[in-house]
Amino acid sequence: MTGKDEKSDIQAALAVLKERFTGKITAKVGEICQNWEKLKSTPEDLDTFGLLHRQVHTLAGTSATYGFEETGRLAGEIEIVLQDELTENHAKWTTELLDKVGDLLLQLEAVAQSEPVEKNHGIEIMAPRQVAQSGNRPRKLIYLVDDDDDFLNTMKIQIQAFGYDVQAFSDLALFDEAVQRQEPTAVVMDVIFGDSSKAGIEHIANINMQRKQALKTIFITGSQDVLTRLDAVRAGGAAYFPKPVLVGSLMNVIDRLAHPSIEEPFRIVIVDDSEEMSGFSALALQQAGMETREVNDPLQLFSVLARFPPDLILMDIYMPSCSGLELSKVIRQMDSYITTPIVFLSLERDLKKQLGAMSLGGDDFLSKPIEPWHLVSAVTSRVQRGRMMRKLAETDGLTGLLNHSKSKERLVAELSRAKREKTPLSFALLDIDHFKQVNDTYGHPAGDQVLKSLANILKQRLRQYDTIGRYGGEEYIVILPNTDVSTAKSIMDKIRISFSEISHSSEKGHFSCRFSCGIASFPDFDNTTILNNEADKALYEAKEGGRNRVVVSSAGQSG
């Protein structure tokens, strides 16, 4: 189904919900009037009072949401009267207050029977978010442009080692012809050519003036001059590196340009006793590419959370059997959801009560009725912030890979999946050879570049659904689902060779590094502890056998 078809389906579903709600308005207002008459005769009836309050609260938010602006406004005024003036002393209602509510109800009845829906009301069509796809990343083409042949040859080999196709040019005219034939993923362009100190920048600027979309260009030069950097930015440069170029830093930028981050769809759970309101919110968020689940009975929330772990919970405050405030306190007592953002969506306009709601576990407060674009924007910003905080907590700050604890969690999950699906799984431990000597000889900044280089080449060469983690220090782990041990050995050997071909730069000269690797697999070993221990034994064997090699565990028995 195309994106256009999906949008049409959602708009059709929205129209059905709106039509269904339209047919219910008169009946809903009738029920409100009946409960009001009952409450006037028995003002001490707290159950009826609570029911009436919920009814006008729901009608106020849902009516305006579906374009019945006047109906929503009048229901909102009634809710304010009930909430602010009658709640604390409803047994002693004055004639003035009774008349006020009665007058508003008469207006509500008249409007509900005749109000036309707002003609222009609807949900703006939004482009769906991209969804990450599994599988090997296709090789990307990099154009390397410099009039220094030695630099070209050295840099070409190193970039190729990260899994890219590289074409090198020392002539700008030949580079232009190549761009016309095939669009590159990125261009690495020297700034200085011949007698011109900014020829590379000027050349890219001229090319981009004739294009709708600028070439993704990384400029390299011996100059640290601020004006040269400014000219590079004005020409559309994505990055700027002084020579000598640190390969690890360059590859960080190339990877970012070649493989822009594609996020999984946001997962939102909507808790609202009004099906019309939850349905509207769900459709608004779905059109922005989010996945949603609706919970109309708050007591069913936790069974939904177990099946659909959300990025955010969107919750009404006033609901029967359990209020949103009570529910948020329960959620915050559970370790699994203690950091999950909770956004309240309610007609409540009292600032003190809004702040009170957030102090009980909420992260934001949105007032009904809410425009779809506002809802999408608020949810998006909260989810992005939450994902960023979660990523910081789960990843290694230097390499961006999963940290030790998260790597162990992923191994447990992947092994469980392999057992369920009866598929092989391979687990590899990598250790950079003589890494202490690198730090002692070339300095810790150079050592950090080596660590990042290995992380980059692993990310480049492995599949998106493979797991890569930094176990600590110079040790890494790789989890390869649906991969037998012989295939895993072949994969890791190719990466080992490519990594050894990378030349790392430092103030004390160029150097290269190598790693050793141990592999264990399921079904040979059927629990995570044994997998880890056997891979560690194989890694030790690789180290003892001379390093720079991949060794497979030979035990081959279940634990």
Side-chain angles (χ1 to χ4, degrees):
M1 181 181 291
T2 66
K4 183 177 180 180
D5 292 336
E6 291 174 357
K7 292 174 184 176
S8 299
D9 288 346
I10 292 176
Q11 288 287 43
L14 176 63
V16 170
L17 280 176
K18 185 180 293 186
E19 183 178 356
R20 187 183 301 163
F21 177 74
T22 302
K24 294 179 179 179
I25 288 180
T26 302
K28 288 179 179 291
V29 172
E31 292 174 1
I32 289 172
C33 291
Q34 288 177 7
N35 283 318
W36 171 246
E37 292 299 324
K38 179 180 179 182
L39 191 62
K40 284 197 299 183
S41 61
T42 55
E44 70 282 355
D45 186 349
L46 295 178
D47 291 337
T48 300
F49 178 84
L51 176 59
L52 178 65
H53 180 267
R54 286 197 302 274
Q55 287 175 329
V56 293
H57 162 79
T58 300
L59 183 65
T62 311
S63 296
T65 296
Y66 283 105
F68 297 95
E69 303 290 348
E70 188 63 13
T71 300
R73 183 188 68 80
L74 289 168
E77 285 193 28
I78 296 171
E79 181 184 18
I80 290 172
V81 173
L82 293 175
Q83 188 168 294
D84 294 341
E85 300 185 46
L86 305 182
T87 304
E88 296 181 1
N89 198 26
H90 65 275
K92 298 180 180 179
W93 293 345
T94 64
T95 301
E96 181 181 357
L97 291 178
L98 289 170
D99 289 344
K100 184 175 182 179
V101 174
D103 182 58
L104 287 171
L105 281 172
L106 287 174
Q107 294 180 54
L108 180 62
E109 282 184 291
V111 168
Q113 293 174 5
S114 60
E115 182 182 13
V117 67
E118 180 69 29
K119 291 182 179 179
N120 296 325
H121 186 83
I123 302 179
E124 179 183 358
I125 298 294
M126 299 181 183
R129 300 174 62 84
Q130 290 181 294
V131 179
Q133 300 294 324
S134 298
N136 288 312
R137 295 175 172 180
R139 292 178 68 89
K140 303 288 187 174
L141 177 62
I142 307 299
Y143 285 171
L144 183 60
V145 192
D146 196 302
D147 58 1
D148 181 345
D149 288 335
D150 291 333
F151 177 81
L152 277 180
N153 294 331
T154 301
M155 193 60 64
K156 180 178 179 178
I157 292 171
Q158 294 185 76
I159 297 175
Q160 285 175 331
F162 284 86
Y164 290 95
D165 290 329
V166 181
Q167 292 186 22
F169 306 91
S170 57
D171 184 278
L172 291 175
L174 294 177
F175 163 69
D176 290 345
E177 292 175 7
V179 171
Q180 292 296 322
R181 289 194 305 270
Q182 185 175 4
E183 181 95 0
T185 297
V187 176
V188 180
M189 169 69 74
D190 192 16
V191 169
I192 302 173
F193 281 85
D195 296 331
S196 175
S197 62
K198 297 183 181 180
I201 293 176
E202 293 166 356
H203 198 80
I204 292 296
N206 289 332
I207 291 176
N208 288 340
M209 286 177 63
Q210 304 170 38
R211 295 170 53 90
K212 291 182 179 179
Q213 188 170 2
L215 286 173
K216 297 176 180 177
T217 306
I218 302 167
F219 289 109
I220 51 176
T221 182
S223 173
Q224 289 276 24
D225 179 60
V226 174
L227 291 178
T228 304
R229 284 181 174 271
L230 183 59
D231 287 336
V233 170
R234 288 170 174 167
Y240 184 103
F241 288 100
K243 293 182 179 179
V245 178
L246 296 176
V247 176
S249 299
L250 176 64
M251 294 313 304
N252 282 339
V253 177
I254 290 178
D255 280 343
R256 189 172 70 244
L257 296 177
H259 305 289
S261 178
I262 301 176
E263 293 185 285
E264 295 289 342
F266 294 168
R267 298 160 63 92
I268 313 299
V269 170
I270 304 164
V271 188
D272 198 310
D273 61 310
S274 167
E275 294 183 10
E276 291 89 353
M277 193 65 233
S278 66
F280 178 88
S281 298
L283 287 173
L285 299 175
Q286 287 167 18
Q287 284 200 101
M290 304 183 200
E291 294 181 1
T292 64
R293 295 291 186 275
E294 298 174 51
V295 179
N296 301 120
D297 178 356
L299 298 183
Q300 298 300 315
L301 171 62
F302 295 100
S303 62
V304 174
L305 294 181
R307 301 189 303 271
F308 186 80
D311 290 299
L312 180 143
I313 300 171
L314 184 66
M315 190 185 315
D316 192 13
I317 286 184
Y318 299 105
M319 296 181 291
S321 72
C322 178
S323 74
L325 301 181
E326 294 172 327
L327 202 56
S328 68
K329 287 194 284 186
V330 174
I331 293 170
R332 291 299 184 231
Q333 292 175 356
M334 304 175 73
D335 290 342
S336 300
Y337 310 112
I338 196 168
T339 61
T340 302
I342 298 174
V343 173
F344 291 112
L345 178 61
S346 178
L347 202 69
E348 178 61 70
R349 290 180 173 83
D350 188 309
L351 180 59
K352 290 183 179 179
K353 292 183 179 179
Q354 291 182 7
L355 294 174
M358 287 187 283
S359 71
L360 294 174
D363 295 278
D364 204 350
F365 197 106
L366 304 176
S367 296
K368 296 178 184 177
I370 186 169
E371 291 292 335
W373 66 265
H374 185 188
L375 176 63
V376 170
S377 176
V379 168
T380 297
S381 63
R382 278 293 174 186
V383 171
Q384 288 176 335
R385 191 177 308 165
R387 284 190 171 186
M388 180 176 66
M389 296 302 294
R390 188 164 63 246
K391 183 178 180 180
L392 289 173
E394 295 176 352
T395 57
D396 167 59
L398 178 65
T399 63
L401 301 178
L402 295 180
N403 60 25
H404 182 92
S405 60
K406 195 63 183 179
S407 297
K408 291 175 67 176
E409 287 180 22
R410 191 65 63 85
L411 179 59
V412 172
E414 291 294 350
L415 181 58
S416 297
R417 179 188 298 176
K419 289 179 178 179
R420 285 196 312 272
E421 298 177 357
K422 295 181 172 55
T423 56
L425 172 79
S426 290
F427 174 71
L429 279 175
L430 291 70
D431 190 276
I432 299 174
D433 296 332
H434 303 298
F435 185 71
K436 184 177 184 300
Q437 292 181 18
V438 172
N439 282 330
D440 292 344
T441 304
Y442 300 101
H444 287 278
D448 287 348
Q449 288 299 327
V450 171
L451 294 172
K452 286 197 265 187
S453 294
L454 180 52
N456 285 339
I457 200 169
L458 289 170
K459 286 186 284 188
Q460 176 62 34
R461 291 299 187 89
L462 296 173
R463 301 165 297 187
Q464 288 186 341
Y465 56 81
D466 293 331
T467 296
I468 313 166
R470 185 180 177 197
Y471 236 31
E474 65 272 24
E475 192 171 55
Y476 295 73
I477 67 108
V478 172
I479 304 169
L480 301 167
N482 200 25
T483 305
D484 60 36
V485 71
S486 61
T487 303
K489 184 179 188 304
S490 175
I491 291 170
M492 299 313 300
D493 253 329
K494 290 176 181 177
I495 295 175
R496 177 185 59 80
I497 294 170
S498 295
F499 180 66
S500 69
E501 294 172 347
I502 298 173
S503 176
H504 305 279
S505 300
S506 76
E507 294 179 353
K508 296 183 179 180
H510 297 274
F511 64 97
S512 59
C513 288
R514 294 162 179 78
F515 69 75
S516 301
C517 176
I519 301 176
S521 68
F522 169 82
D524 291 336
F525 308 103
D526 64 0
N527 73 57
T528 57
T529 300
I530 297 178
L531 268 175
N532 194 97
N533 290 343
E534 291 299 326
D536 192 52
K537 290 178 184 177
L539 174 60
Y540 179 79
E541 185 179 339
K543 292 281 190 182
E544 289 294 300
R547 305 178 191 272
N548 188 29
R549 63 190 62 206
V550 178
V551 172
V552 172
S553 173
S554 58
Q557 59 185 6
S558 297

